[in-house]
Amino acid sequence: MTIAEVKTFLADLKKDRSPEDAALIEKAYNFAEEAHRGQKRASGDPYFSHCVAVTRLLLEMEMDTATVCAGLLHDILEDTAVTFNLLQGEFPEPIPHLVEGVTKISTIRFRSNMEKQAENLRRMILAMAKDIRVIIIKFCDRLHNMRTLQYLPDQKQLIIARDTLDIYAPLANRLGMMQIRSELEDLAMKYLYPDDYQELFDKTRLRAPKRASLIDRTIKILEREIAKRGIHAMIEGRSKHLYGIFQKMRKQNITFEEVYDFTAIRIITDTLELCYDILGLVHSLWRPIPNRFRDFIALPKENQYQSLHTTVVGLEGEATEIQIRTGEMHRVAEYGVAAHWKYKEGKKGLTDIDLRLQWLRQLIEWLKDIPNPGEFIDALRGDVFADIVFCFTPKGDVVELPKGSTPLDFAYHIHTEIGNLCIGARVNKKYVSLKTPLQSGDVVEIITSNHAHPSRDWLDLVQTSRARNKIKHYLKTKELDQYVRIGRDLLQKALKTKGLSLSHPVFLEKLEGVIKSLRENSLDDLLFEIGFGSASASDIAARFGKLEEKPKRKKGKKSHAPGIILHGLDNALVRYSKCCNPIPGDPIIGFVTRGRGISIHKSSCPALMRQKIENSGDSSRIVQVEWDSENLPKCQVNLRVVARDRTGLLKDLSGTISQIGLNVEESHSRVISHKNQAVFRFVIFIDDTKQLNDLLNRIKNVPGVISISRIVRKQDTQGDEK
């Protein structure tokens, strides 16, 4: 920056601030500039230019003095020699802790294993709850980094863009920061879906002149008619952002030409009453499209977004969306929680921003009760980042739930006891199944009975983590002994493969640390989670390590195929039969083929049974074999899953597979429309039958799954022995 640019920037920083605040900001500027002096960005620009760019974004939001200072200093702990103690000595609170909070979020790496990812997300949410300004600074930091992403290596671009689209953009949306969310999504799409991005960019650019003409003509008509009525309003046009178009095309399975609401007009007026007056005027000018009116003033979104939305058949028959709101509503729509911060300074007690963030405190209360990493991430994405439906109690109270929620979710949202005693529901005065997805505007009445209580099947009927945890808590209270007993048996078997047991000194020595790391209170709580199916016995056993013992001498000889020990033969060629696809843990037997060595079958293999019958006079072709536990191979398994078709099904199935550290090598899917079913085929490499059974049990618990089975290729089912 030139001297003139520095003076202009400092003047902007100090504008409308007290002399004390202006001096503090100038000190932060000089302190950060000196600390970063000599550092360069990947673009070759001075590193401090990034700090300036982040602070400019904070100024646009009219953030308070502490946030502006923290914006200038936000990278100082991570990228310079300045320590937290030094920062505390130089600047008053909350500036040091804001900088520290941003630094902790900056060190999060989301593309990691499930457990680490869950803990990192938990840290981010806790930092937000402590001081929401931390995440506002981080959004500005991420936005400028995305604007300059082209200077980084390709692989790093993809990682940062994916994190932005999966975590930061949805979180910005949840906090109502729509301007930042839209730009983050478009920038991430540019790197993650470059071909789709360029195609949409070119197509929208071709339509831009016509769209601009329609918007200008529409605005002139509105300005003339509104002025006739003596109403003060500001009118502007806007275009749907590219990722929004992309998502709409994918979700609705439509082409670019079928997206009809590219054109949008925004009317900003003075009062709430004028918003409704202008709505009536708009509908008198153009015919409204049915089912395209949304009153987010009477029913604000959970991120506090308020506006009237209507879509009309505008000029030249073009569908035109018109949004009507007040100036304050517009500021909230653009900047979300940041829009309220300037009103908080110097106020005591609950302020507007505190009330708007109560959902965040409630979120932490129930998220901290979810110890399982996979469940935590599913809860975050399903409940926090989900689309919202607005339902009503019979008394007219509004209930906000994630899209896909059922009457049982509704019951638990109202009160735990209502959920526990639920036996049925009426939606819009009609009896419905408890698994019926609710729609916005539904009036829901819960029917209860003092004799009712939750069952494990209820977990398949709910979508929200709140309801799921309440059901689990009830079952844990009432059926604790049963699930603890099941969990004890499963863990004992898993430990046995490690040379351990529940009474082994190594197990007892490490038990307390394992329980603490999993956020459980006792061994019984841990065993309950295993017995209930929320935790994997093999994963838990792995935390205790494997007892080192001297390997026992085996009577058989190891074969050329890893994982197999032969009895009575040496140096034989061994291969796994494709007709039954045996995996470690299956009872197995060997069959001597002609010219192709020994084929390993499951003992129950039908093809092997046929060969035994055909060669009943020649028992010499049967060879006793066993698994070599010290040298087990990864084995391919083909799974077939049949489920009720629904949005997010493939994501849920893939997430369940990845929860236990497995990767999908290949997948195929098809939809049976007349049955409303989807059929999936997954190819996975696993360690043994225990891991496979664990996977099967987890997939069975995915909502909507009807059946799951191992399959083999048809051409192999007739046997391969000659």
Side-chain angles (χ1 to χ4, degrees), residues 192-435:
L192 295 173
Y193 308 100
D195 294 339
D196 295 302
Y197 178 89
Q198 192 60 49
E199 182 181 0
L200 286 179
F201 180 83
D202 292 338
K203 286 182 176 180
T204 53
R205 183 173 56 182
L206 286 173
R207 291 181 57 166
K210 178 182 178 182
R211 188 168 62 248
S213 173
L214 284 173
I215 289 176
D216 288 343
R217 288 156 55 198
T218 303
I219 288 176
K220 287 178 181 178
I221 293 172
L222 285 168
E223 286 177 337
R224 183 178 66 247
E225 295 300 322
I226 288 175
K228 284 181 183 178
R229 290 159 175 77
I231 298 174
H232 175 263
M234 181 181 72
I235 309 175
E236 61 185 21
R238 71 169 189 89
S239 300
K240 202 176 191 74
H241 70 295
L242 293 184
Y243 186 74
I245 299 171
F246 179 60
Q247 282 289 82
K248 189 163 194 172
M249 289 168 59
R250 289 206 304 183
K251 285 182 178 180
Q252 299 183 11
N253 194 25
I254 59 177
T255 65
F256 176 81
E257 288 69 27
E258 293 174 296
V259 178
Y260 62 82
D261 55 349
F262 285 105
T263 306
I265 304 291
R266 186 173 290 145
I267 304 173
I268 303 169
T269 189
D270 297 332
T271 67
L272 184 148
E273 290 76 13
L274 287 176
C275 290
Y276 289 97
D277 290 344
I278 293 172
L279 175 68
L281 170 61
V282 169
H283 285 174
S284 71
L285 294 172
W286 297 290
R287 180 169 57 85
I289 296 176
N291 302 318
R292 294 288 299 170
F293 171 67
R294 296 288 185 272
D295 187 345
F296 293 117
I297 293 179
L299 293 173
K301 292 185 178 181
E302 200 166 11
N303 60 19
Q304 302 305 313
Y305 175 89
Q306 288 184 291
S307 186
L308 296 176
H309 287 199
T310 186
T311 303
V312 299
V313 181
L315 299 179
E316 299 183 18
E318 184 85 8
T320 304
E321 183 182 67
I322 296 178
Q323 302 172 357
I324 309 167
R325 60 183 68 148
T326 66
E328 175 59 17
M329 291 174 191
H330 179 62
R331 180 166 170 76
V332 172
E334 294 295 293
Y335 298 118
V337 293
H340 304 278
W341 200 265
K342 66 177 182 178
Y343 303 113
K344 182 180 173 74
E345 291 187 281
K347 292 187 177 182
K348 296 181 179 179
L350 276 179
T351 61
D352 189 46
I353 191 170
D354 294 314
L355 294 171
R356 290 172 186 268
L357 288 175
Q358 283 185 345
W359 67 269
L360 184 58
R361 276 81 179 183
Q362 294 169 356
L363 168 70
I364 290 170
E365 286 304 311
W366 59 264
L367 280 187
K368 69 182 182 182
D369 294 329
I370 306 176
N372 182 275
E375 284 188 36
F376 178 87
I377 292 174
D378 288 343
L380 189 68
R381 289 176 176 160
D383 289 9
V384 183
F385 296 160
D387 293 332
I388 299 296
V389 294
F390 299 90
C391 301
F392 298 89
T393 67
K395 293 182 178 180
D397 296 327
V398 180
V399 174
E400 300 176 24
L401 293 167
K403 190 174 183 179
S405 294
T406 66
L408 202 51
D409 291 300
F410 184 97
Y412 276 105
H413 184 91
I414 299 299
H415 195 279
T416 300
E417 199 60 23
I418 292 177
N420 287 342
L421 299 178
C422 177
I423 59 170
R426 280 195 291 260
V427 175
N428 304 325
K429 298 185 178 180
K430 294 181 180 179
Y431 286 98
V432 299
S433 164
L434 287 177
K435 62 181 180 182

Side-chain angles (χ1 to χ4, degrees), residues 85-145:
N85 288 337
L86 176 58
L87 200 63
Q88 278 189 311
E90 293 289 335
F91 295 95
E93 289 296 348
I95 295 172
H97 277 93
L98 288 176
V99 175
E100 183 187 40
V102 176
T103 302
K104 287 180 178 179
I105 293 177
S106 298
T107 58
I108 291 176
R109 299 292 180 263
F110 293 104
R111 313 319 302 170
S112 57
N113 61 63
M114 183 74 71
E115 186 174 331
K116 186 175 180 181
Q117 184 180 4
E119 186 55 34
N120 286 337
L121 287 168
R122 199 186 300 268
R123 281 165 47 197
M124 175 181 273
I125 292 170
L126 289 172
M128 287 166 49
K130 189 173 182 180
D131 198 320
I132 198 66
R133 289 174 291 184
V134 168
I135 201 67
I136 293 173
I137 298 168
K138 186 57 191 175
F139 280 143
C140 295
D141 171 66
R142 177 54 62 116
L143 180 55
H144 185 250
N145 282 334

Side-chain angles (χ1 to χ4, degrees), residues 500-514:
L500 298 171
S501 68
L502 291 170
S503 60
H504 196 283
V506 172
F507 174 83
L508 297 174
E509 180 184 345
K510 296 183 178 181
L511 179 59
E512 184 177 351
V514 171

Side-chain angles (χ1 to χ4, degrees), residues 572-610:
L573 178 65
V574 172
R575 64 191 182 88
Y576 295 98
S577 173
K578 296 177 182 178
C579 57
C580 56
N581 192 23
I583 61 176
D586 285 333
I588 53 174
I589 198 165
F591 188 90
V592 179
T593 67
R594 294 190 176 100
R596 288 185 291 171
I598 298 173
S599 183
I600 305 300
H601 293 259
K602 291 169 64 173
S603 298
S604 59
C605 173
L608 178 63
M609 296 303 175
R610 285 195 297 273

Side-chain angles (χ1 to χ4, degrees), residues 1 21 28 103 163-164 173 180 230 234 319 362 366 383 392 414 487 612 622 654 695 721:
M1 295 174 69
D21 283 352
T103 302
D163 290 345
T164 299
N173 177 65
I180 285 180
M234 181 181 72
Q362 294 169 356
W366 59 264
D383 289 9
F392 298 89
I414 299 299
K612 283 183 177 181
I622 301 298
S654 300
L695 175 62
E721 319 307 342

Side-chain angles (χ1 to χ4, degrees), residues 67-81:
T67 309
V68 170
C69 290
L72 289 165
L73 299 162
H74 77 274
D75 274 336
I76 207 164
L77 295 180
E78 185 178 2
D79 295 323
T80 77

